[in-house]
Amino acid sequence: MTSKQKKIIAREFLIFIAALGISVIAFIGTYPYNYFLNRKIDRIKEETKSLKDRIYKLEIAYNQKTEKQRWFYNESVRKGINGNFRYSSQLWERLEELQKSDSIIFNWNNVWEKELIEIIQDIGFKNGEEFNRFILDNSVANEDSNDKVNEIRRKVNSIEKTIWGLKSRILDTKEQIRFGLIFFAIISTIAFPIRYLFFAIRWSIKTLKEQE
């Protein structure tokens, strides 16, 4: 084997080692890549957990209030003071209107018949102030409503889709190895032809100088 052949083999070997080394570095780089995605997923999961806790609390508050509303409606039906309201929501809507206009206490003291007041007291309310407080405490505010819960739930679903998308990008061991091999193939494909282009340019420059 001539000296020139040895140089060619040595050069090819160095190019191979360089391509292999870069590919190994690319393979190792998949670990911090996976770590970054997992950390991001963990942060998003914490946000999701917080939102789910909020949904749980809102649902409890909503259910407790609507249960109280149904209880009062059923009592009013049982005692015959439900009027023309066929559903608890209809009766409660009317009571909310009176409460918001500060009419509950006024009606209790000045408008409602004594018989009606006695029935409400028999249900469990001593005076107008107590009845007014019951309506206020069990009215569903915007932050307690099902619409708010559904809005948060849609946000949770959107975040969970994001988590799923991030998880699909995490590389398992086989994918990491495949990535390293593909990277090696790309580097080799690029490196080996480029060296001939480099040699050709160098030879051309050298030739032109010799002609001068």
Side-chain angles (χ1 to χ4, degrees):
M1 183 181 295
T2 63
S3 176
K4 184 176 181 180
Q5 289 175 325
K6 290 180 179 180
K7 287 182 179 180
I8 292 173
I9 293 173
R11 185 172 61 234
E12 299 294 322
F13 179 73
L14 288 175
I15 293 173
F16 170 81
I17 292 298
L20 182 61
I22 294 173
S23 301
V24 170
I25 293 172
F27 169 77
I28 295 173
T30 60
Y31 285 95
Y33 168 81
N34 282 349
Y35 175 80
F36 170 78
L37 289 179
N38 281 316
R39 290 289 295 170
K40 190 171 184 179
I41 289 171
D42 289 340
R43 288 195 298 269
I44 296 175
K45 280 183 176 179
E46 284 298 317
E47 181 182 356
T48 304
K49 183 179 180 300
S50 175
L51 290 173
K52 286 181 177 179
D53 289 342
R54 188 179 176 191
I55 289 174
Y56 176 73
K57 291 177 182 178
L58 287 173
E59 286 180 332
I60 287 179
Y62 178 82
N63 291 335
Q64 287 176 341
K65 290 181 179 182
T66 54
E67 183 63 30
K68 288 286 187 180
Q69 294 174 18
R70 286 191 293 270
W71 168 79
F72 180 78
Y73 177 77
N74 291 335
E75 288 294 312
S76 69
V77 171
R78 189 169 64 85
K79 295 182 179 295
I81 60 170
N82 62 305
N84 296 322
F85 300 109
R86 298 181 59 187
Y87 305 103
S88 62
S89 58
Q90 294 174 335
L91 175 59
W92 198 264
E93 185 176 345
R94 176 56 182 159
L95 292 174
E96 278 187 338
E97 289 176 359
L98 293 174
Q99 192 279 321
K100 289 177 181 177
S101 61
D102 298 323
S103 300
I104 294 292
I105 298 175
F106 177 82
N107 286 337
W108 184 288
N109 294 327
N110 302 286
V111 178
W112 290 341
E113 295 178 357
K114 182 179 179 181
E115 181 183 357
L116 174 61
I117 293 174
E118 287 176 350
I119 292 173
I120 297 176
Q121 286 176 328
D122 187 51
I123 291 175
F125 304 100
K126 296 178 181 179
N127 50 51
E129 287 79 5
E130 189 174 322
F131 188 47
N132 184 75
R133 171 56 59 183
F134 171 77
I135 297 170
L136 177 62
D137 289 345
N138 292 289
S139 294
V140 178
N142 289 333
E143 60 270 18
D144 298 330
S145 68
N146 269 340
D147 290 339
K148 186 65 175 179
V149 169
N150 290 332
E151 178 186 340
I152 299 173
R153 187 172 282 115
R154 284 192 295 270
K155 187 174 181 180
V156 169
N157 291 337
S158 176
I159 293 173
E160 287 180 342
K161 287 180 181 178
T162 301
I163 292 174
W164 182 86
L166 291 172
K167 283 184 176 180
S168 67
R169 290 165 53 187
I170 294 175
L171 303 176
D172 59 27
T173 303
K174 289 183 178 179
E175 289 173 327
Q176 288 175 290
I177 295 172
R178 188 182 303 117
F179 176 79
L181 293 174
I182 291 173
F183 202 86
F184 175 73
I186 293 172
I187 293 295
S188 299
T189 302
I190 294 173
F192 281 85
I194 283 179
R195 77 187 190 283
Y196 290 113
L197 177 63
F198 172 76
F199 295 149
I201 292 173
R202 190 175 65 175
W203 176 83
S204 297
I205 294 173
K206 183 178 178 181
T207 302
L208 290 172
K209 286 182 177 180
E210 289 177 352
Q211 289 178 351
E212 292 176 357

